[in-house]
Amino acid sequence: ADEGRRWEGNHLIQEVPVPYSTLILGGKIRITTPAGNTVSLSVAPETRIGDRKRLPKQGFAGGDLDIEFILMELESISDEQREVLKSLQKEGL
């Protein structure tokens, strides 16, 4: 699928990778829509992987676009990130 996009019936779904901290705490992310527009999206605190948000008229030919939040997978992490993750692990996260 192109940029994590797929059709479910007549709904266009675009997977959007989000860092774990943004899923839990909330924040803003930027995505590129099928029309090539860059839009800023708010991620609500405690968003779950698989949650969806509909963006009216941001799909192909003016159709709606459904965003599905997925966990961003990192290629590698820094030593500082590893230490932070160790402390989170101790706290049960």
Side-chain angles (χ1 to χ4, degrees), residues 8-9 11 15 20 22 27 39 42 48 51 56-58 63 69 71 73-74 80 82 85 88 92-93:
E8 286 183 6
H11 288 286
E15 292 182 343
Y20 182 71
T22 303
V39 295
S42 292
R48 295 179 179 271
D51 281 359
K57 301 181 179 172
Q58 293 292 335
F69 297 108
L71 183 61
E73 295 184 29
L74 303 173
E80 292 84 1
R82 189 174 309 281
L85 284 173
L88 288 176
L93 292 177

Side-chain angles (χ1 to χ4, degrees), residues 15-91:
E15 292 182 343
V16 175
V18 182
Y20 182 71
S21 57
T22 303
L23 289 173
I24 297 301
L25 301 173
K28 292 227 181 252
I29 57 168
R30 296 177 76 72
I31 67 156
T32 302
T33 68
N37 299 324
T38 300
V39 295
S40 180
L41 281 184
S42 292
V43 179
E46 298 181 29
T47 291
R48 295 179 179 271
I49 295 166
D51 281 359
R52 291 186 178 175
K53 186 174 208 169
R54 178 158 293 164
L55 303 182
K57 301 181 179 172
Q58 293 292 335
F60 290 114
D64 294 344
L65 177 65
D66 286 355
I67 297 303
E68 182 175 77
F69 297 108
I70 62 171
L71 183 61
M72 180 182 286
E73 295 184 29
L74 303 173
E75 296 294 322
S76 62
I77 62 173
S78 68
D79 290 341
E80 292 84 1
Q81 288 170 320
R82 189 174 309 281
E83 290 308 309
V84 170
L85 284 173
K86 284 180 182 175
S87 63
L88 288 176
Q89 191 175 42
K90 281 184 208 159
E91 294 297 325

